[in-house]
Amino acid sequence: MTIERLFSVDADMTIDVGDDRVYVRGDGSSVVVEVPSISLVFQMLRSVGSIKPVRERVTDLSQLLTNVGLTIIVRTPGRRLMTIGRDGNSWLLKLFGVPHARLHLS
């Protein structure tokens, strides 16, 4: 089944998070969020609170992105960390109730 893309995202922006800089770039069907380090990602997740609300938000976001045909890629300058949305597919995360998302462990 081919999912039609309902939205197109074109972006090139910089977000300052404390002393760190996060880059957001969109090329139409995908949005790349580049963080300077994995530690910043954990720091941002800790500020959200417990893991259950984070999982629920990622689950809702992944379903929404899939429905509209978009993908968000979270990465550091050296590697891809997570894909959420249309191009995210992991049987492991499906076991934890998060469809349409993939962790890139290698």
Side-chain angles (χ1 to χ4, degrees):
M1 179 171 107
T2 303
I3 298 172
E4 181 182 336
R5 184 164 36 103
L6 301 175
F7 292 104
S8 180
V9 177
D10 293 309
D12 188 4
M13 60 191 270
T14 304
I15 302 169
D16 291 326
V17 179
D19 293 335
D20 294 307
R21 192 161 270 176
V22 176
Y23 299 97
V24 179
R25 295 178 188 93
D27 69 0
S29 63
S30 64
V31 177
V32 176
V33 178
E34 186 173 306
V35 295
S37 66
I38 294 173
S39 63
L40 180 62
V41 174
F42 285 119
Q43 187 179 28
M44 291 166 54
L45 287 175
R46 271 193 307 242
S47 70
V48 173
S50 73
I51 195 71
K52 185 176 179 182
V54 171
R55 189 195 75 204
E56 290 171 356
R57 288 183 183 136
V58 170
T59 300
D60 293 343
L61 177 63
S62 70
Q63 187 61 54
L64 173 69
L65 290 168
T66 300
N67 289 346
V68 298
L70 293 176
T71 300
I72 291 179
I73 300 165
V74 180
R75 61 172 294 119
T76 63
R79 67 183 286 223
R80 186 181 282 204
L81 302 173
M82 186 173 203
T83 303
I84 306 168
R86 184 191 62 189
D87 294 332
N89 188 9
S90 167
W91 63 269
L92 178 62
L93 288 179
K94 282 182 184 177
L95 289 175
F96 290 102
V98 183
H100 314 294
R102 178 178 181 189
L103 288 174
H104 300 275
L105 301 175
S106 59

